[in-house]
Amino acid sequence: MKHIIINVGRQLGSGGHDIGRMLALDFQAKYYDREILNLAAKESGLSEKIFEQNDEKKGFFRGLLNLGVPHLGGGDKSGLTQESLFQFQSEAIQRAAKEGSCVFVGRCADYVLRDFGNTVNIFITASMEYRIEQIMNKQHLDSDAAQKFIEQKESSRAAYYNYYTGKKWGAAESYDLCIDSSVLGFVETEKLIAQFIRKRFEL
């Protein structure tokens, strides 16, 4: 099996996590979603909770990032900013990518690994109705609450991606393949993506 890196961007409720896990099994690759937060925490010596609180968010002191404002308030002397947390996370992603085949879900991995030649960037979308249904089931919300949940989370996710990459989250030109999982369902969507990847890398 070749050393390949699969970066998965996803709309909330589109099945990106599940499809990413299936791809990892398919290509005997390590799977990194929130796992990258633990890896970044271990390698930086910081608390994983710090990374969790800032996961795919620009945060409450957006606009003050360039002023070196401490992340944890006046009592913190480390000078941590969310940009430094992003750098720690990016370094963890790069190290993991060098070690072997990986599937990364989110965390701007497509941008972080832009200089790696063995990557394929996928974006998974789905109809709003389909995503609302998924979130209703997972979060035990009614339809209106599920839609609001999706819109709030995606606004934060898009702002994070756009800020750190200088690109537009979800824009087709940023990815090798964009696919609507609500058309075929998670399993068949993964099979189609896997077929694309095999052709891409001549596996």
Side-chain angles (χ1 to χ4, degrees):
M1 185 68 72
K2 284 186 179 180
H3 178 178
I4 63 172
I5 307 299
I6 303 168
N7 300 315
V8 179
R10 76 288 185 215
Q11 287 188 310
L12 199 69
S14 67
H17 303 283
D18 295 323
I19 292 169
R21 288 190 185 94
M22 287 187 274
L23 288 168
L25 287 172
D26 221 341
F27 292 95
Q28 300 171 34
K30 288 187 177 179
Y31 173 83
Y32 292 100
D33 182 3
R34 295 184 66 82
E35 292 83 355
I36 205 65
L37 306 180
N38 177 261
L39 192 61
K42 285 182 178 178
E43 294 183 358
S44 67
L46 298 171
S47 168
E48 186 176 353
K49 188 171 291 187
I50 294 175
F51 288 93
E52 289 176 350
Q53 289 171 345
N54 293 278
D55 187 28
E56 294 192 310
K57 297 174 191 157
K58 276 168 57 181
F60 60 86
F61 55 89
R62 56 188 282 189
L64 299 180
L65 290 168
N66 294 325
L67 302 180
V69 176
H71 169 67
L72 298 178
D76 178 70
K77 305 303 181 184
S78 66
L80 267 182
T81 66
Q82 284 182 312
E83 286 185 334
S84 61
L85 293 178
F86 178 79
Q87 185 61 35
F88 285 132
Q89 185 172 282
S90 297
E91 290 170 357
I93 289 171
Q94 289 171 346
R95 277 192 286 270
K98 289 175 182 177
E99 291 176 359
S101 293
C102 298
V103 174
F104 294 103
V105 176
R107 278 90 200 172
C108 301
D110 60 318
Y111 177 77
V112 170
L113 301 174
R114 62 194 181 280
D115 294 328
F116 284 57
N118 55 334
T119 62
V120 60
N121 300 320
I122 310 295
F123 191 82
I124 302 171
T125 184
S127 68
M128 178 58 83
E129 292 77 15
Y130 186 84
R131 294 190 289 134
I132 286 173
E133 184 178 347
Q134 297 297 317
I135 296 302
M136 286 174 65
N137 292 334
K138 289 185 178 180
Q139 300 292 334
H140 308 293
L141 300 172
D142 64 26
S143 178
D144 289 342
Q147 182 167 348
K148 186 175 180 180
F149 181 85
I150 289 170
E151 290 170 350
Q152 289 177 338
K153 292 285 186 180
E154 286 197 343
S155 176
S156 176
R157 182 177 291 173
Y160 176 89
Y161 182 89
N162 297 349
Y163 178 81
Y164 285 109
T165 69
K167 300 193 294 180
K168 185 176 179 181
W169 179 77
E173 60 266 25
S174 295
Y175 308 93
D176 300 306
L177 177 68
C178 298
I179 189 165
D180 185 336
S181 63
S182 62
V183 175
L184 298 176
F186 294 177
V187 173
E188 293 302 318
T189 296
E190 189 276 337
K191 288 180 181 178
L192 195 154
I193 295 171
Q195 184 180 11
F196 175 84
I197 292 170
R198 290 189 178 97
K199 285 186 178 292
R200 163 77 170 78
F201 292 111
E202 298 180 346
L203 299 176

